[in-house]
Amino acid sequence: MKYILDALKKTLDFKGRARRKEYWWFILFYLAVGIALMAIDEAIGSNGILPQIGSLALHLTILSVSIRRLHDTNHRWWWILVPFIPIVFLFQDSQKGTNRFGENPKGINA
């Protein structure tokens, strides 16, 4: 829960670094919210509006946590524009120590 709240608090923060845990826990949260909203939408018959609203509401947070995740592996934000390649970076471990985007969020300096 901590990592999800951290991502939500940093919605407008495109600087710094995000650990893999923060990124993947937020992705899991996003998927769970989407599934729950689709189920509610189906039950009340609102023609798909609830999942769209939920997606729109969380889209900026996904963008910011993805960019900070790329920073954690010492890659610039524009890599997110290249299809499929950023997926490799999102699975990589944090770059040890401080890089050009800040200190290691794990606190590992070696």
Side-chain angles (χ1 to χ4, degrees):
M1 191 66 162
K2 173 194 178 307
Y3 297 110
I4 296 167
L5 292 176
D6 285 348
L8 288 169
K9 288 177 190 176
K10 297 176 185 176
T11 294
L12 298 175
D13 183 10
F14 293 92
K15 295 181 180 179
R17 297 168 64 172
R19 294 177 65 174
R20 275 186 297 192
K21 284 185 180 182
E22 182 179 350
Y23 176 79
W24 289 111
W25 274 108
F26 189 77
I27 294 298
L28 183 64
F29 169 74
Y30 177 78
L31 292 173
V33 167
I35 291 168
L37 289 175
M38 283 191 288
I40 293 169
D41 186 71
E42 186 67 30
I44 63 174
S46 64
N47 296 325
I49 192 72
L50 287 179
Q52 290 177 7
I53 291 171
S55 179
L56 186 61
L58 295 175
H59 188 73
L60 194 58
T61 306
I62 284 182
L63 183 61
S64 70
V65 77
S66 297
I67 289 172
R68 286 185 284 110
R69 181 71 202 118
L70 287 172
H71 288 173
D72 194 40
T73 59
N74 203 23
H75 293 90
R76 295 195 182 274
W77 69 269
W78 56 264
W79 278 101
I80 207 162
L81 302 174
V82 180
F84 303 111
I85 293 174
I87 292 172
V88 173
F89 302 144
L90 298 174
F91 281 102
Q92 285 181 340
D93 195 8
S94 300
Q95 183 184 36
K96 295 190 181 341
T98 302
N99 68 16
R100 60 187 165 177
F101 300 106
E103 294 183 20
N104 188 318
K106 292 182 180 179
I108 299 172
N109 292 321

